[in-house]
Amino acid sequence: MDRSWMNAHRISEEYENGVLVFLQYVKENAKSVNGTYFCPCVRCLNQIRQDLDNLHDHLFMFGITRTYTVWTWHGEVLDQPITSRGTNYVDEWMSDHLEDMIRDVGEDNFRRANLYDSVINDSEQPLYPGCTNFTRLSSTLKLFSLKARNGWTDKSFTELLELLKDMLPENNTLPIGNYEAKTFLCPMGLEY
């Protein structure tokens, strides 16, 4: 689906048509809570629910968050780097998206934070000693994808992570809670 409208001026016909297509997509794919949906405007940042009319108005008044190109909060499924495809898939995904990450963060910040080394390390670190199906990165990405698709609260997600951490063998690398998982996936304030 074309998302070029997200970068168009809010008073343009392209933006207006894009908003209408987005709202239709939301209606057909997103899970509603009492007729409300997460609002992807710059002010709400997919953290506040609005009805469709207010969502429409917010997208014109404040604009859409331009980095929100995969509509996970509105029913779109992520194409994730799944380790069952092998670690080469994760490496290929990283290589394909590294330039975008550097551009989003800024080259100097990217180097200063040693982000590349950290992400590569997490993509190679097994979830627990002897695990061949999941890495720390892939398991956290999969769990966050489930959280986003199903609209889990931070509290319920933390409870799930705590339970899974206890169920897995000792020395597992699964984040212990929502905050740790977010800081692991979102260095320097990047959205997950």
Side-chain angles (χ1 to χ4, degrees):
M1 181 180 300
D2 179 30
R3 288 171 171 69
S4 61
W5 63 272
M6 295 171 68
N7 295 312
H9 292 287
R10 285 181 276 167
I11 58 172
S12 70
E13 188 175 329
E14 178 186 8
Y15 188 84
E16 182 177 351
N17 291 336
V19 168
L20 296 176
V21 168
F22 174 75
L23 292 175
Q24 185 62 39
Y25 185 87
V26 168
K27 224 188 275 188
E28 293 171 1
N29 296 287
K31 291 184 181 180
S32 164
V33 174
N34 297 325
T36 63
Y37 304 90
F38 286 109
C39 180
C41 80
V42 173
R43 190 178 109 196
C44 296
L45 297 171
N46 282 319
Q47 298 196 13
I48 299 172
R49 290 184 169 272
Q50 305 285 348
D51 61 34
L52 286 174
D53 290 336
N54 282 329
L55 206 141
H56 175 272
D57 292 346
H58 278 217
L59 291 175
F60 281 98
M61 286 189 294
F62 308 112
I64 191 165
T65 305
R66 292 181 180 187
T67 58
Y68 184 53
T69 55
V70 181
W71 298 337
T72 53
W73 293 101
H74 298 91
E76 188 170 14
V77 178
L78 287 171
D79 291 331
Q80 300 178 36
I82 301 169
T83 58
S84 62
R85 295 181 185 176
T87 55
N88 288 343
Y89 180 78
V90 174
D91 293 339
E92 290 171 20
W93 184 88
M94 280 296 300
S95 297
D96 290 346
H97 293 84
L98 185 59
E99 188 176 315
D100 295 335
M101 291 169 64
I102 292 171
R103 185 182 63 247
D104 290 344
V105 173
E107 198 168 325
D108 291 340
N109 291 338
F110 194 83
R111 276 198 205 102
R112 225 180 335 214
N114 298 320
L115 187 56
Y116 181 77
D117 293 337
S118 173
V119 172
I120 290 297
N121 182 44
D122 290 330
S123 71
E124 294 171 348
Q125 183 179 21
L127 181 58
Y128 55 86
C131 179
T132 57
N133 293 331
F134 295 98
T135 65
R136 181 170 195 230
L137 179 63
S138 68
S139 60
T140 307
L141 283 172
K142 282 181 144 255
L143 288 167
F144 252 116
S145 177
L146 283 171
K147 178 188 187 307
R149 282 196 317 247
N150 295 293
W152 295 345
T153 63
D154 289 349
K155 182 182 177 194
S156 66
F157 188 60
T158 294
E159 289 176 10
L160 173 68
L161 288 175
E162 289 170 351
L163 177 64
L164 289 174
K165 185 123 179 109
D166 287 342
M167 292 174 136
L168 290 170
E170 283 188 35
N171 299 325
N172 68 72
T173 59
L174 190 69
I176 201 159
N178 183 63
Y179 178 77
E180 184 184 336
K182 271 187 181 177
T183 56
F184 161 65
L185 286 181
C186 311
M188 296 177 296
L190 294 176
E191 293 178 41
Y192 57 88

